[in-house]
Amino acid sequence: MIITWQGGEKFTVRTKNAVVKIGETVKINDFEIQGEGEYEVGGVECQGMIDNIFVFTFGDIRLAYLNNLKRALRENETELIGEIDILLAPSCDSVKQNIQNLEPKIAIPYNFENLDKFCKDFSCPEPIDRIKIKKSDLPEKTEIVILQ
């Protein structure tokens, strides 16, 4: 799986069988996800939740996308999202709490209005163009990845 940031809230996730475009709309290959519900396209499972939260399963890797959620997740939302490997979350005031509650292996913040504040709470590495991930590459504790 390769994740690239397209600016704003937009990401592209590429796997062997699918291209997932995440942003204002969510598409798996050419199929547009229509909000809440469960979908499976190109070997990718997607669960759309309230507030445009999406959880994707790419084989053995689970990724949550919080869209432009500018608040802490509610307890029931955290439970619905469940265990995840990768979190794509806006760098708003509640991002620290959402990372701590979800405990992803990799957290990728975006919409950098508050990146300086975010980097005071977390050790931020140098930005990279993309990240290539396999399940065996996932760290034991949460690591921050900054995409450019």
Side-chain angles (χ1 to χ4, degrees), residues 9-140:
E9 74 281 356
K10 298 176 186 169
F11 290 87
T12 300
V13 182
R14 294 182 187 279
T15 66
K16 192 184 304 183
N17 299 318
V19 176
V20 179
K21 294 188 182 235
I22 304 170
E24 292 174 22
T25 61
V26 174
K27 288 185 178 182
I28 302 174
N29 295 334
D30 291 325
F31 182 80
E32 186 172 333
I33 304 299
Q34 299 291 325
E36 295 179 47
E38 294 183 9
Y39 306 85
E40 184 173 350
V41 180
V44 177
E45 296 175 20
C46 175
Q47 180 181 4
M49 300 180 186
I50 196 163
D51 288 333
N52 287 324
I53 296 169
F54 294 91
V55 177
F56 299 90
T57 304
F58 300 90
D60 57 356
I61 296 178
R62 287 179 41 88
L63 178 150
Y65 172 69
L66 301 186
N67 199 337
N68 280 320
L69 191 71
K70 302 222 187 253
R71 61 169 174 78
L73 290 164
R74 297 178 187 102
E75 187 175 334
N76 67 322
E77 292 169 326
T78 300
E79 289 172 9
L80 282 171
I81 291 170
E83 188 174 323
I84 58 168
D85 298 301
I86 302 166
L87 175 64
L88 306 177
S91 62
C92 60
D93 290 338
S94 60
V95 69
K96 181 178 180 179
Q97 183 178 351
N98 288 336
I99 290 171
Q100 289 172 337
N101 289 344
L102 290 171
E103 299 179 324
K105 303 295 184 191
I106 295 174
I108 303 173
Y110 59 91
N111 284 352
F112 297 121
E113 310 95 40
N114 298 319
L115 186 61
D116 289 340
K117 182 179 179 193
F118 177 86
C119 287
K120 287 179 185 175
D121 292 332
F122 294 95
S123 176
C124 290
E126 289 295 315
I128 56 176
D129 292 329
R130 64 186 184 154
I131 183 169
K132 187 174 184 178
I133 303 168
K134 295 183 295 193
K135 184 75 169 184
S136 60
D137 295 336
L138 293 170
E140 288 188 29

